[in-house]
Amino acid sequence: MPTIHREPRFTYDELLDLVEGQLRVVELTAINAEIGGPGERLWLTAPGAGADVYRLWRRDRGRGRGTYWAVDKDRPWEALVWLREGLTDVLERLTRPGSATRYALEEGREERDLAVLTELETIWLSGVSPLGEAYGPRGADVAVNHLLLIPAQAELARATAVRSRVLREHFGTGPQAAQRVTSEMGWEPAKAHKTLAAWDEYRRWVREGAAHARATVPVHRPSGDTGLPELLAATLMTAACGSETIVPGRPSPIALPDALACWYVFSRDLGACVAVADEATYAPGVDPGEYMHLVPVAMVLDIGWTVRDGLIVSLLPHNGFGVSYDEEAILAGGGRPVESWGKADTASSPDGPPGEF
């Protein structure tokens, strides 16, 4: 979570004003009541103002050197990682409300937990709202399915595979196994057969999915020697290209410095581009999808760049939806006017887990 303002440059009141006085935000009061310390605040940008989570909190200087006030800024899907960790108890109660001791002890606790969940849902929705605004309900639904439903279904499939293995180790896998499960567990024969088969079914689904990915997912490699290991370089270039349609073999109409040439690629929409790590989000060990972008050559040359860890690094401009591209730079590199760009592909994903669990 990147820190954007902090002590001692700003006092607590000034930090508060930097957010509430200068940004369009709404406070996440229910979540903050659960995980916030004295004076700490948590906000989400208001609808129509992009999607960011802001947190005013006391950060630890480390090594016993005390704390300081800071304002951190995160994208919704990154913020959800630490929010879910901090809200483990709430989510655990919502997972098993019928056996939650806290609900038995505390009248109305469930309403506070549901208020927390409502704010988490708002953060989830803010993360997919750009797709909804650009492509309508179908685009938002595809994003929710990819980011929320498929992971939840896949986790359930993995748990069912573990359950299958428990039964297989106890009852075996021979012709009589399902009959023994039916008899000893009191299950219907169909459920016994299906559960015993789930371990093999899950592994078959993973292997078939991997084969599908190798056949269909576009992999892009740098056009020259980057000095990085081949797999790492391909991972970085593939992350930068994302869902862009790449035109192989098309040269850049703009002269490229030698250091940029190996990271050059031509995009149907963006034109002549360079794969760039955004200095604002780049850090070794972070998912390359968070910091790698295709940036028009003319734009890279204009804003400046450096080479770091074998990558082209530049501080990229952003708007509420991601990197802000200069249309003149796009056109100069042979790209297409923004209004002519095609709609995103919202076809159904092949990642859904096997069977009904």
Side-chain angles (χ1 to χ4, degrees):
M1 193 173 193
T3 296
I4 57 173
H5 304 297
R6 56 168 292 178
E7 289 183 324
R9 182 179 179 187
F10 299 102
T11 66
Y12 174 86
D13 289 339
E14 288 171 333
L15 292 171
L16 188 63
D17 183 65
L18 283 168
V19 180
E20 291 194 329
Q22 302 184 31
L23 299 171
R24 293 180 54 204
V25 293
V26 291
E27 188 169 359
L28 301 171
T29 55
I31 295 177
N32 201 60
E34 286 296 319
I35 65 174
E40 295 185 344
R41 307 282 285 273
L42 193 65
W43 300 271
L44 179 68
T45 45
D52 289 302
V53 174
Y54 292 89
R55 186 182 188 185
L56 172 58
W57 64 317
R58 294 204 68 87
R59 299 202 64 170
D60 190 349
R61 296 181 189 276
R63 299 181 180 179
R65 294 181 296 168
T67 61
Y68 61 94
W69 284 107
V71 172
D72 289 357
K73 173 184 174 182
D74 224 344
R75 303 295 288 172
W77 292 102
E78 285 70 50
L80 284 168
V81 174
W82 54 266
L83 284 171
R84 280 193 291 249
E85 182 178 351
L87 296 168
T88 297
D89 290 345
V90 171
L91 296 175
E92 176 65 22
R93 290 193 293 270
L94 291 171
T95 299
R96 300 179 180 84
S99 59
T101 303
R102 187 74 176 271
Y103 290 161
L105 292 170
E106 187 179 343
E107 183 76 23
R109 175 73 244 193
E110 68 277 13
E111 297 303 327
R112 289 166 58 188
D113 287 353
L114 287 171
V116 169
L117 181 62
T118 297
E119 290 184 350
L120 278 176
E121 290 170 347
T122 301
I123 297 172
W124 279 326
L125 293 175
S126 71
V128 301
S129 61
L131 282 175
E133 293 169 9
Y135 309 118
R138 178 169 170 78
D141 179 68
V142 168
V144 169
N145 185 57
H146 179 73
L147 295 167
L148 293 179
L149 296 181
I150 287 176
Q153 292 165 349
E155 186 62 33
L156 181 56
R158 282 192 290 271
T160 304
V162 173
R163 185 189 202 186
S164 175
R165 182 170 175 181
V166 169
L167 295 180
R168 289 158 68 107
E169 292 191 356
H170 185 80
F171 296 106
T173 58
Q176 304 304 317
Q179 184 177 342
R180 293 177 61 200
V181 171
T182 299
S183 174
E184 295 191 33
M185 303 290 288
W187 291 0
E188 293 293 326
K191 180 178 179 180
H193 280 286
K194 184 175 182 179
T195 304
L196 285 169
W199 193 84
D200 287 325
E201 178 70 8
Y202 179 76
R203 279 151 179 77
R204 180 194 62 77
W205 169 69
V206 170
R207 292 179 179 117
E208 289 182 354
H212 183 274
R214 284 189 284 271
T216 61
V217 175
V219 171
H220 304 284
R221 305 180 190 279
S223 56
D225 182 15
T226 65
L228 298 174
E230 183 178 347
L231 178 59
L232 175 58
T235 300
L236 294 165
M237 180 61 89
T238 299
C241 291
S243 60
E244 292 292 327
T245 300
I246 302 304
V247 182
R250 185 161 172 180
S252 172
I254 302 172
L256 284 166
D258 291 342
L260 300 182
C262 59
W263 292 104
Y264 166 78
V265 69
F266 194 95
S267 160
R268 181 190 63 183
D269 290 328
L270 291 171
C273 287
V274 175
V276 172
D278 184 4
E279 187 172 2
T281 53
Y282 169 61
V286 175
D287 178 0
E290 300 300 324
Y291 59 79
M292 291 300 297
H293 302 274
L294 287 190
V295 183
V297 171
M299 190 170 155
V300 176
L301 296 177
D302 181 56
I303 62 180
W305 52 276
T306 58
V307 178
R308 187 188 311 166
D309 303 325
L311 292 170
I312 307 303
V313 180
S314 183
L315 186 59
L316 303 179
H318 286 258
N319 54 31
F321 304 103
V323 174
S324 177
Y325 292 107
D326 184 303
E327 187 161 7
E328 290 187 7
I330 293 172
L331 298 177
R336 305 194 302 171
V338 173
E339 64 269 16
S340 71
W341 292 5
K343 296 290 186 182
D345 181 9
T346 55
S348 60
S349 169
D351 287 332
E356 293 293 332
F357 293 90

